[in-house]
Amino acid sequence: MVTPEALLQVRNLKKYYPIRGGVFSRKVGAVKAVDGVSFDLKKGETLGIVGESGCGKSTTGRSILRLEEPTEGSVQFEGTELTSLSGEAMRRMRRELQMVFQDPFASLNPRKTAGEAIAEPLEVHGLGNRRERKEKVKELLSVVGLDSYHAARYPHQFSGGQRQRIGIARALAVNPKLIVADEPVSALDVSIQSQVLNLMEDLQEKFDLTYLFIAHDLSVVRHISDRVGVMYLGRMVELADRNTLYERPIHPYTQALLSAVPVPDPEAKRERIILTGDVPSPSNPPKGCAFHTRCPHVMDICREMRPDFRDHGDGHFAACHLMDA
Ligand code: SF4
């Protein structure tokens, strides 16, 4: 899976949260939120990660940036192992790696003006003097489609779409190379969603950005991604370039997810695959293939042996025994 031009290499990333119980609060188990995720992200690329709520996609993004400390695994950014950096070195590295959050309102301090919020990362990293920071804020506001007078306004004075533009300007302030966007448009109206997605695409081109774009909405991910990875119960189950994944999914879970997405062509019929049963608990994932309790194609081997996540040709990765049958 190693690509020579990879900006980010994630290998066997795990994030387990201990479950404690008893009078001594001993560790009695673990919630396996992320359970061995591997992928590469090329420079200038957008990799979308999709999956149902609780599949571990957001925790994957947060663990890469060490907003959550990974339990195990390797995260290399331009050849530097992020998981072993000291606190101070990681803080410096964060200039290169920024995050755009789902809820623009929650991620902005209500007592800070938009200008102060955008200038904050510049102050944290000691970039520029007061006058230069003010100029930079003006420039960033214009870059994200806002006016310089917006700098003096507070978050509650903006619409949801405008607040997300501020969140993006804030992320861009320190000239990052990689942006992890965690459900950046899911709190917005559909009409505003496409404006923000188009803005993100324009900015990617302009600033040579690389995106890890996390969302539950398959149409949104299709709009913006070059490649798409599908997660289920803490693991990546399929990864391919956008068109291959949406037109020729090979994993039964991806097939089921996509069968629920409306297709624009009324002639094109797509049979809806209804999955039965609930998503199992990540504290007690099923043995073998974690999807076997809901898979319409389950075989005996699926209950016993976990399928390898491997390349089935042209970078189309999937973890399913059907491909070996
Ligand atoms: Fe279904 Fe088996 Fe493939 Fe898992 S490995 S997705 S249970 S066919």
Side-chain angles (χ1 to χ4, degrees):
M1 191 188 300
V2 180
T3 43
E5 71 277 40
L7 183 77
L8 184 78
Q9 285 185 2
V10 178
R11 293 290 176 273
N12 199 28
L13 184 68
K14 295 183 182 177
K15 177 63 190 175
Y16 293 177
Y17 296 97
I19 303 170
R20 300 194 182 276
V23 271
F24 298 110
S25 213
R26 285 213 181 94
K27 190 180 160 205
V28 292
V31 174
K32 297 176 176 175
V34 179
D35 196 16
V37 166
S38 301
F39 61 86
D40 283 355
L41 185 49
K42 284 176 267 178
K43 193 171 183 307
E45 175 184 47
T46 299
L47 174 66
I49 299 189
V50 286
E52 291 164 294
S53 158
C55 70
K57 55 191 188 303
S58 291
T59 312
T60 299
R62 294 177 66 82
S63 302
I64 287 168
L65 301 192
R66 286 184 59 194
L67 298 174
E68 305 274 350
E69 276 306 325
T71 307
E72 209 181 299
S74 158
V75 179
Q76 290 203 2
F77 177 77
E78 293 189 317
T80 301
E81 179 60 52
L82 300 185
T83 59
S84 55
L85 287 184
S86 69
E88 176 52 27
M90 189 62 214
R91 198 186 67 79
R92 283 198 303 274
M93 183 58 93
R94 287 232 168 80
R95 253 191 86 170
E96 314 276 9
L97 315 146
Q98 288 288 303
M99 187 139 185
V100 172
F101 296 92
Q102 173 183 4
D103 182 351
F105 198 71
S107 65
L108 295 171
N109 183 335
R111 284 183 292 277
K112 280 197 170 158
T113 63
E116 287 167 341
I118 296 169
E120 194 176 64
L122 297 168
E123 285 166 30
V124 167
H125 290 282
L127 301 172
N129 58 32
R130 222 177 133 79
R131 190 184 50 77
E132 286 164 339
R133 286 200 289 267
K134 220 172 157 183
E135 274 309 303
K136 180 80 180 172
V137 167
K138 247 205 233 169
E139 182 194 320
L140 286 163
L141 282 168
S142 148
V143 154
V144 298
L146 296 171
D147 286 307
S148 50
Y149 68 83
H150 285 122
R153 295 201 174 166
Y154 289 89
H156 72 271
Q157 296 174 293
F158 292 100
S159 67
Q162 286 174 321
R163 283 200 293 265
Q164 195 52 289
R165 285 172 191 268
I166 296 166
I168 293 168
R170 195 177 137 90
L172 287 178
V174 287
N175 298 326
K177 291 181 179 155
L178 171 70
I179 290 188
V180 175
D182 186 9
E183 300 271 13
V185 297
S186 54
L188 306 175
D189 290 344
V190 175
S191 58
I192 310 294
Q193 284 189 350
S194 46
Q195 289 176 16
V196 173
L197 290 174
N198 291 338
L199 171 70
M200 287 185 69
E201 282 179 326
D202 292 348
L203 295 174
Q204 179 167 39
E205 179 115 6
K206 191 165 181 181
F207 296 107
D208 207 11
L209 294 166
T210 303
Y211 290 143
L212 183 64
F213 191 98
I214 297 161
H216 69 278
D217 185 327
L218 286 136
S219 313
V220 164
V221 169
R222 182 173 199 170
H223 180 120
I224 198 160
S225 305
D226 300 304
R227 287 188 304 145
V228 178
V230 180
M231 281 187 71
Y232 183 78
L233 220 59
R235 295 176 159 267
M236 195 82 94
V237 295
E238 186 160 4
L239 173 69
D241 72 78
R242 170 182 56 185
N243 291 338
T244 304
L245 189 109
Y246 281 77
E247 281 152 28
R248 292 190 309 281
I250 55 179
H251 194 284
Y253 177 60
T254 315
Q255 290 168 353
L257 277 186
L258 287 173
S259 77
V261 178
V263 276
D265 179 0
E267 299 290 311
K269 280 213 181 89
R270 188 186 262 168
E271 202 183 322
R272 176 93 192 254
I273 304 165
I274 311 280
L275 291 179
T276 52
D278 293 329
V279 182
S281 165
S283 62
N284 188 21
K287 194 177 161 203
C289 171
F291 186 55
H292 86 246
T293 54
R294 301 170 80 200
C295 181
H297 305 289
V298 60
M299 304 173 284
D300 287 344
I301 188 176
C302 309
R303 299 187 179 89
E304 296 300 324
M305 226 171 98
R306 181 182 283 170
D308 288 335
F309 184 64
R310 62 181 181 82
D311 192 347
H312 294 280
D314 297 327
H316 190 164
F317 289 81
C320 177
H321 290 306
L322 277 177
M323 300 306 293
D324 309 318

PDB file of all heavy atoms in Angstrom, residues 250-253 288-299 301-303 305-307 319-323, ligand 1:
ATOM      1  N   ILE A 250     -16.998  -3.809  -3.888  1.00  0.00           N
ATOM      2  CA  ILE A 250     -16.892  -5.268  -3.774  1.00  0.00           C
ATOM      3  C   ILE A 250     -17.208  -5.768  -2.363  1.00  0.00           C
ATOM      4  O   ILE A 250     -17.473  -6.938  -2.180  1.00  0.00           O
ATOM      5  CB  ILE A 250     -15.518  -5.813  -4.256  1.00  0.00           C
ATOM      6  CG1 ILE A 250     -14.348  -5.146  -3.536  1.00  0.00           C
ATOM      7  CG2 ILE A 250     -15.384  -5.659  -5.742  1.00  0.00           C
ATOM      8  CD1 ILE A 250     -12.977  -5.683  -3.990  1.00  0.00           C
ATOM      9  N   HIS A 251     -17.189  -4.899  -1.383  1.00  0.00           N
ATOM     10  CA  HIS A 251     -17.484  -5.365  -0.027  1.00  0.00           C
ATOM     11  C   HIS A 251     -18.999  -5.283   0.227  1.00  0.00           C
ATOM     12  O   HIS A 251     -19.621  -4.257  -0.076  1.00  0.00           O
ATOM     13  CB  HIS A 251     -16.739  -4.506   1.001  1.00  0.00           C
ATOM     14  CG  HIS A 251     -16.715  -5.126   2.366  1.00  0.00           C
ATOM     15  ND1 HIS A 251     -17.805  -5.110   3.188  1.00  0.00           N
ATOM     16  CD2 HIS A 251     -15.738  -5.811   3.019  1.00  0.00           C
ATOM     17  CE1 HIS A 251     -17.492  -5.741   4.314  1.00  0.00           C
ATOM     18  NE2 HIS A 251     -16.244  -6.180   4.230  1.00  0.00           N
ATOM     19  N   PRO A 252     -19.592  -6.341   0.773  1.00  0.00           N
ATOM     20  CA  PRO A 252     -21.046  -6.331   0.994  1.00  0.00           C
ATOM     21  C   PRO A 252     -21.531  -5.146   1.843  1.00  0.00           C
ATOM     22  O   PRO A 252     -22.650  -4.659   1.641  1.00  0.00           O
ATOM     23  CB  PRO A 252     -21.313  -7.662   1.712  1.00  0.00           C
ATOM     24  CG  PRO A 252     -20.207  -8.553   1.260  1.00  0.00           C
ATOM     25  CD  PRO A 252     -19.008  -7.665   1.094  1.00  0.00           C
ATOM     26  N   TYR A 253     -20.708  -4.664   2.760  1.00  0.00           N
ATOM     27  CA  TYR A 253     -21.138  -3.509   3.569  1.00  0.00           C
ATOM     28  C   TYR A 253     -21.213  -2.251   2.706  1.00  0.00           C
ATOM     29  O   TYR A 253     -22.186  -1.497   2.765  1.00  0.00           O
ATOM     30  CB  TYR A 253     -20.174  -3.297   4.738  1.00  0.00           C
ATOM     31  CG  TYR A 253     -20.533  -2.083   5.567  1.00  0.00           C
ATOM     32  CD1 TYR A 253     -21.769  -1.994   6.204  1.00  0.00           C
ATOM     33  CD2 TYR A 253     -19.658  -1.013   5.685  1.00  0.00           C
ATOM     34  CE1 TYR A 253     -22.120  -0.868   6.941  1.00  0.00           C
ATOM     35  CE2 TYR A 253     -19.991   0.111   6.432  1.00  0.00           C
ATOM     36  CZ  TYR A 253     -21.216   0.174   7.048  1.00  0.00           C
ATOM     37  OH  TYR A 253     -21.565   1.286   7.769  1.00  0.00           O
ATOM     38  N   GLY A 288     -13.776 -13.190  13.747  1.00  0.00           N
ATOM     39  CA  GLY A 288     -13.718 -13.323  12.288  1.00  0.00           C
ATOM     40  C   GLY A 288     -13.986 -11.987  11.632  1.00  0.00           C
ATOM     41  O   GLY A 288     -13.490 -10.947  12.072  1.00  0.00           O
ATOM     42  N   CYS A 289     -14.801 -11.986  10.582  1.00  0.00           N
ATOM     43  CA  CYS A 289     -15.161 -10.725   9.936  1.00  0.00           C
ATOM     44  C   CYS A 289     -16.178 -10.004  10.820  1.00  0.00           C
ATOM     45  O   CYS A 289     -17.235 -10.559  11.147  1.00  0.00           O
ATOM     46  CB  CYS A 289     -15.768 -11.005   8.562  1.00  0.00           C
ATOM     47  SG  CYS A 289     -16.466  -9.521   7.821  1.00  0.00           S
ATOM     48  N   ALA A 290     -15.873  -8.766  11.177  1.00  0.00           N
ATOM     49  CA  ALA A 290     -16.748  -8.038  12.113  1.00  0.00           C
ATOM     50  C   ALA A 290     -18.129  -7.773  11.524  1.00  0.00           C
ATOM     51  O   ALA A 290     -19.080  -7.498  12.253  1.00  0.00           O
ATOM     52  CB  ALA A 290     -16.087  -6.716  12.495  1.00  0.00           C
ATOM     53  N   PHE A 291     -18.243  -7.910  10.203  1.00  0.00           N
ATOM     54  CA  PHE A 291     -19.533  -7.642   9.545  1.00  0.00           C
ATOM     55  C   PHE A 291     -20.381  -8.916   9.437  1.00  0.00           C
ATOM     56  O   PHE A 291     -21.505  -8.870   8.945  1.00  0.00           O
ATOM     57  CB  PHE A 291     -19.244  -7.048   8.154  1.00  0.00           C
ATOM     58  CG  PHE A 291     -20.463  -6.581   7.412  1.00  0.00           C
ATOM     59  CD1 PHE A 291     -21.351  -5.658   7.962  1.00  0.00           C
ATOM     60  CD2 PHE A 291     -20.740  -7.063   6.133  1.00  0.00           C
ATOM     61  CE1 PHE A 291     -22.473  -5.230   7.269  1.00  0.00           C
ATOM     62  CE2 PHE A 291     -21.856  -6.634   5.438  1.00  0.00           C
ATOM     63  CZ  PHE A 291     -22.721  -5.720   6.007  1.00  0.00           C
ATOM     64  N   HIS A 292     -19.866 -10.061   9.898  1.00  0.00           N
ATOM     65  CA  HIS A 292     -20.548 -11.321   9.577  1.00  0.00           C
ATOM     66  C   HIS A 292     -21.947 -11.423  10.194  1.00  0.00           C
ATOM     67  O   HIS A 292     -22.808 -12.128   9.676  1.00  0.00           O
ATOM     68  CB  HIS A 292     -19.661 -12.538   9.928  1.00  0.00           C
ATOM     69  CG  HIS A 292     -19.753 -13.017  11.350  1.00  0.00           C
ATOM     70  ND1 HIS A 292     -18.700 -12.931  12.229  1.00  0.00           N
ATOM     71  CD2 HIS A 292     -20.757 -13.604  12.049  1.00  0.00           C
ATOM     72  CE1 HIS A 292     -19.044 -13.455  13.391  1.00  0.00           C
ATOM     73  NE2 HIS A 292     -20.304 -13.848  13.316  1.00  0.00           N
ATOM     74  N   THR A 293     -22.194 -10.684  11.298  1.00  0.00           N
ATOM     75  CA  THR A 293     -23.511 -10.787  11.934  1.00  0.00           C
ATOM     76  C   THR A 293     -24.605 -10.112  11.100  1.00  0.00           C
ATOM     77  O   THR A 293     -25.788 -10.304  11.346  1.00  0.00           O
ATOM     78  CB  THR A 293     -23.494 -10.132  13.337  1.00  0.00           C
ATOM     79  OG1 THR A 293     -23.004  -8.788  13.195  1.00  0.00           O
ATOM     80  CG2 THR A 293     -22.607 -10.891  14.303  1.00  0.00           C
ATOM     81  N   ARG A 294     -24.214  -9.313  10.118  1.00  0.00           N
ATOM     82  CA  ARG A 294     -25.208  -8.598   9.302  1.00  0.00           C
ATOM     83  C   ARG A 294     -25.053  -8.858   7.807  1.00  0.00           C
ATOM     84  O   ARG A 294     -25.827  -8.335   7.011  1.00  0.00           O
ATOM     85  CB  ARG A 294     -25.075  -7.088   9.554  1.00  0.00           C
ATOM     86  CG  ARG A 294     -25.270  -6.690  11.003  1.00  0.00           C
ATOM     87  CD  ARG A 294     -24.888  -5.252  11.212  1.00  0.00           C
ATOM     88  NE  ARG A 294     -25.928  -4.335  10.805  1.00  0.00           N
ATOM     89  CZ  ARG A 294     -25.708  -3.037  10.534  1.00  0.00           C
ATOM     90  NH1 ARG A 294     -24.489  -2.548  10.607  1.00  0.00           N
ATOM     91  NH2 ARG A 294     -26.695  -2.263  10.188  1.00  0.00           N
ATOM     92  N   CYS A 295     -24.053  -9.651   7.453  1.00  0.00           N
ATOM     93  CA  CYS A 295     -23.731  -9.792   6.030  1.00  0.00           C
ATOM     94  C   CYS A 295     -24.673 -10.783   5.337  1.00  0.00           C
ATOM     95  O   CYS A 295     -24.829 -11.920   5.783  1.00  0.00           O
ATOM     96  CB  CYS A 295     -22.286 -10.275   5.881  1.00  0.00           C
ATOM     97  SG  CYS A 295     -21.815 -10.449   4.157  1.00  0.00           S
ATOM     98  N   PRO A 296     -25.270 -10.372   4.209  1.00  0.00           N
ATOM     99  CA  PRO A 296     -26.166 -11.292   3.495  1.00  0.00           C
ATOM    100  C   PRO A 296     -25.418 -12.447   2.820  1.00  0.00           C
ATOM    101  O   PRO A 296     -26.037 -13.403   2.371  1.00  0.00           O
ATOM    102  CB  PRO A 296     -26.854 -10.389   2.449  1.00  0.00           C
ATOM    103  CG  PRO A 296     -26.094  -9.112   2.400  1.00  0.00           C
ATOM    104  CD  PRO A 296     -25.238  -9.020   3.624  1.00  0.00           C
ATOM    105  N   HIS A 297     -24.075 -12.350   2.735  1.00  0.00           N
ATOM    106  CA  HIS A 297     -23.305 -13.400   2.039  1.00  0.00           C
ATOM    107  C   HIS A 297     -22.438 -14.206   3.001  1.00  0.00           C
ATOM    108  O   HIS A 297     -21.483 -14.857   2.572  1.00  0.00           O
ATOM    109  CB  HIS A 297     -22.391 -12.758   0.985  1.00  0.00           C
ATOM    110  CG  HIS A 297     -23.121 -11.895   0.018  1.00  0.00           C
ATOM    111  ND1 HIS A 297     -23.961 -12.406  -0.940  1.00  0.00           N
ATOM    112  CD2 HIS A 297     -23.167 -10.542  -0.126  1.00  0.00           C
ATOM    113  CE1 HIS A 297     -24.483 -11.407  -1.642  1.00  0.00           C
ATOM    114  NE2 HIS A 297     -24.024 -10.267  -1.156  1.00  0.00           N
ATOM    115  N   VAL A 298     -22.746 -14.148   4.269  1.00  0.00           N
ATOM    116  CA  VAL A 298     -21.866 -14.773   5.270  1.00  0.00           C
ATOM    117  C   VAL A 298     -21.620 -16.269   4.981  1.00  0.00           C
ATOM    118  O   VAL A 298     -22.521 -16.988   4.573  1.00  0.00           O
ATOM    119  CB  VAL A 298     -22.435 -14.552   6.707  1.00  0.00           C
ATOM    120  CG1 VAL A 298     -23.809 -15.150   6.853  1.00  0.00           C
ATOM    121  CG2 VAL A 298     -21.479 -15.060   7.767  1.00  0.00           C
ATOM    122  N   MET A 299     -20.353 -16.680   5.157  1.00  0.00           N
ATOM    123  CA  MET A 299     -19.967 -18.090   4.968  1.00  0.00           C
ATOM    124  C   MET A 299     -19.359 -18.577   6.292  1.00  0.00           C
ATOM    125  O   MET A 299     -19.070 -17.761   7.172  1.00  0.00           O
ATOM    126  CB  MET A 299     -18.908 -18.198   3.858  1.00  0.00           C
ATOM    127  CG  MET A 299     -19.344 -17.592   2.538  1.00  0.00           C
ATOM    128  SD  MET A 299     -18.023 -17.560   1.306  1.00  0.00           S
ATOM    129  CE  MET A 299     -17.013 -16.211   1.872  1.00  0.00           C
ATOM    130  N   ILE A 301     -16.410 -19.597   7.032  1.00  0.00           N
ATOM    131  CA  ILE A 301     -15.071 -19.053   7.299  1.00  0.00           C
ATOM    132  C   ILE A 301     -15.146 -17.635   7.901  1.00  0.00           C
ATOM    133  O   ILE A 301     -14.315 -17.234   8.700  1.00  0.00           O
ATOM    134  CB  ILE A 301     -14.212 -19.049   6.000  1.00  0.00           C
ATOM    135  CG1 ILE A 301     -12.765 -18.666   6.317  1.00  0.00           C
ATOM    136  CG2 ILE A 301     -14.811 -18.146   4.928  1.00  0.00           C
ATOM    137  CD1 ILE A 301     -11.824 -18.715   5.139  1.00  0.00           C
ATOM    138  N   CYS A 302     -16.216 -16.889   7.541  1.00  0.00           N
ATOM    139  CA  CYS A 302     -16.343 -15.486   7.989  1.00  0.00           C
ATOM    140  C   CYS A 302     -16.486 -15.393   9.514  1.00  0.00           C
ATOM    141  O   CYS A 302     -16.109 -14.396  10.113  1.00  0.00           O
ATOM    142  CB  CYS A 302     -17.540 -14.818   7.341  1.00  0.00           C
ATOM    143  SG  CYS A 302     -17.589 -14.990   5.560  1.00  0.00           S
ATOM    144  N   ARG A 303     -17.060 -16.454  10.096  1.00  0.00           N
ATOM    145  CA  ARG A 303     -17.299 -16.440  11.556  1.00  0.00           C
ATOM    146  C   ARG A 303     -16.025 -16.754  12.329  1.00  0.00           C
ATOM    147  O   ARG A 303     -15.948 -16.535  13.523  1.00  0.00           O
ATOM    148  CB  ARG A 303     -18.391 -17.441  11.928  1.00  0.00           C
ATOM    149  CG  ARG A 303     -19.722 -17.130  11.277  1.00  0.00           C
ATOM    150  CD  ARG A 303     -20.844 -18.038  11.799  1.00  0.00           C
ATOM    151  NE  ARG A 303     -22.097 -17.699  11.165  1.00  0.00           N
ATOM    152  CZ  ARG A 303     -22.538 -18.226  10.027  1.00  0.00           C
ATOM    153  NH1 ARG A 303     -21.814 -19.149   9.403  1.00  0.00           N
ATOM    154  NH2 ARG A 303     -23.689 -17.848   9.504  1.00  0.00           N
ATOM    155  N   MET A 305     -12.473 -16.541  10.724  1.00  0.00           N
ATOM    156  CA  MET A 305     -11.226 -15.910  10.280  1.00  0.00           C
ATOM    157  C   MET A 305     -11.464 -14.492   9.791  1.00  0.00           C
ATOM    158  O   MET A 305     -12.358 -14.267   8.973  1.00  0.00           O
ATOM    159  CB  MET A 305     -10.633 -16.723   9.139  1.00  0.00           C
ATOM    160  CG  MET A 305      -9.157 -16.976   9.271  1.00  0.00           C
ATOM    161  SD  MET A 305      -8.693 -18.139   8.010  1.00  0.00           S
ATOM    162  CE  MET A 305      -8.062 -17.021   6.820  1.00  0.00           C
ATOM    163  N   ARG A 306     -10.651 -13.602  10.311  1.00  0.00           N
ATOM    164  CA  ARG A 306     -10.768 -12.207   9.876  1.00  0.00           C
ATOM    165  C   ARG A 306     -10.145 -12.065   8.478  1.00  0.00           C
ATOM    166  O   ARG A 306      -8.993 -12.477   8.281  1.00  0.00           O
ATOM    167  CB  ARG A 306     -10.016 -11.323  10.869  1.00  0.00           C
ATOM    168  CG  ARG A 306     -10.088  -9.869  10.533  1.00  0.00           C
ATOM    169  CD  ARG A 306      -9.303  -9.069  11.515  1.00  0.00           C
ATOM    170  NE  ARG A 306     -10.008  -8.923  12.776  1.00  0.00           N
ATOM    171  CZ  ARG A 306      -9.458  -8.436  13.872  1.00  0.00           C
ATOM    172  NH1 ARG A 306      -8.195  -8.072  13.863  1.00  0.00           N
ATOM    173  NH2 ARG A 306     -10.156  -8.313  14.968  1.00  0.00           N
ATOM    174  N   PRO A 307     -10.883 -11.533   7.517  1.00  0.00           N
ATOM    175  CA  PRO A 307     -10.294 -11.391   6.170  1.00  0.00           C
ATOM    176  C   PRO A 307      -9.224 -10.304   6.141  1.00  0.00           C
ATOM    177  O   PRO A 307      -9.351  -9.288   6.825  1.00  0.00           O
ATOM    178  CB  PRO A 307     -11.500 -10.991   5.297  1.00  0.00           C
ATOM    179  CG  PRO A 307     -12.502 -10.412   6.247  1.00  0.00           C
ATOM    180  CD  PRO A 307     -12.254 -11.000   7.601  1.00  0.00           C
ATOM    181  N   ALA A 319     -11.572  -6.047   2.463  1.00  0.00           N
ATOM    182  CA  ALA A 319     -11.374  -7.148   3.410  1.00  0.00           C
ATOM    183  C   ALA A 319     -12.620  -8.014   3.362  1.00  0.00           C
ATOM    184  O   ALA A 319     -13.616  -7.717   4.029  1.00  0.00           O
ATOM    185  CB  ALA A 319     -11.150  -6.591   4.822  1.00  0.00           C
ATOM    186  N   CYS A 320     -12.596  -9.051   2.521  1.00  0.00           N
ATOM    187  CA  CYS A 320     -13.780  -9.923   2.413  1.00  0.00           C
ATOM    188  C   CYS A 320     -13.360 -11.275   1.858  1.00  0.00           C
ATOM    189  O   CYS A 320     -12.653 -11.344   0.851  1.00  0.00           O
ATOM    190  CB  CYS A 320     -14.814  -9.257   1.493  1.00  0.00           C
ATOM    191  SG  CYS A 320     -16.257 -10.305   1.242  1.00  0.00           S
ATOM    192  N   HIS A 321     -13.837 -12.350   2.490  1.00  0.00           N
ATOM    193  CA  HIS A 321     -13.501 -13.698   2.028  1.00  0.00           C
ATOM    194  C   HIS A 321     -14.140 -14.023   0.689  1.00  0.00           C
ATOM    195  O   HIS A 321     -13.694 -14.948   0.002  1.00  0.00           O
ATOM    196  CB  HIS A 321     -13.961 -14.736   3.071  1.00  0.00           C
ATOM    197  CG  HIS A 321     -13.147 -14.707   4.326  1.00  0.00           C
ATOM    198  ND1 HIS A 321     -11.777 -14.822   4.317  1.00  0.00           N
ATOM    199  CD2 HIS A 321     -13.519 -14.581   5.614  1.00  0.00           C
ATOM    200  CE1 HIS A 321     -11.324 -14.765   5.565  1.00  0.00           C
ATOM    201  NE2 HIS A 321     -12.362 -14.605   6.383  1.00  0.00           N
ATOM    202  N   LEU A 322     -15.172 -13.310   0.306  1.00  0.00           N
ATOM    203  CA  LEU A 322     -15.823 -13.577  -0.979  1.00  0.00           C
ATOM    204  C   LEU A 322     -14.819 -13.437  -2.121  1.00  0.00           C
ATOM    205  O   LEU A 322     -14.922 -14.113  -3.135  1.00  0.00           O
ATOM    206  CB  LEU A 322     -16.951 -12.562  -1.233  1.00  0.00           C
ATOM    207  CG  LEU A 322     -18.308 -12.825  -0.602  1.00  0.00           C
ATOM    208  CD1 LEU A 322     -19.235 -11.661  -0.930  1.00  0.00           C
ATOM    209  CD2 LEU A 322     -18.910 -14.143  -1.072  1.00  0.00           C
ATOM    210  N   MET A 323     -13.858 -12.534  -1.933  1.00  0.00           N
ATOM    211  CA  MET A 323     -12.876 -12.290  -2.993  1.00  0.00           C
ATOM    212  C   MET A 323     -11.908 -13.471  -3.132  1.00  0.00           C
ATOM    213  O   MET A 323     -11.204 -13.576  -4.124  1.00  0.00           O
ATOM    214  CB  MET A 323     -12.067 -11.014  -2.686  1.00  0.00           C
ATOM    215  CG  MET A 323     -12.901  -9.768  -2.581  1.00  0.00           C
ATOM    216  SD  MET A 323     -13.937  -9.485  -4.037  1.00  0.00           S
ATOM    217  CE  MET A 323     -12.709  -9.153  -5.295  1.00  0.00           C
TER     218      MET A 323
HETATM  219 FE1  SF4 B   1     -19.581 -10.949   4.431  1.00  0.00          FE
HETATM  220 FE2  SF4 B   1     -17.839 -12.879   4.896  1.00  0.00          FE
HETATM  221 FE3  SF4 B   1     -17.177 -10.869   3.321  1.00  0.00          FE
HETATM  222 FE4  SF4 B   1     -17.425 -10.499   5.923  1.00  0.00          FE
HETATM  223  S1  SF4 B   1     -15.910 -11.764   4.911  1.00  0.00           S
HETATM  224  S2  SF4 B   1     -18.201  -9.200   4.337  1.00  0.00           S
HETATM  225  S3  SF4 B   1     -19.125 -11.849   6.397  1.00  0.00           S
HETATM  226  S4  SF4 B   1     -18.768 -12.412   2.939  1.00  0.00           S
END
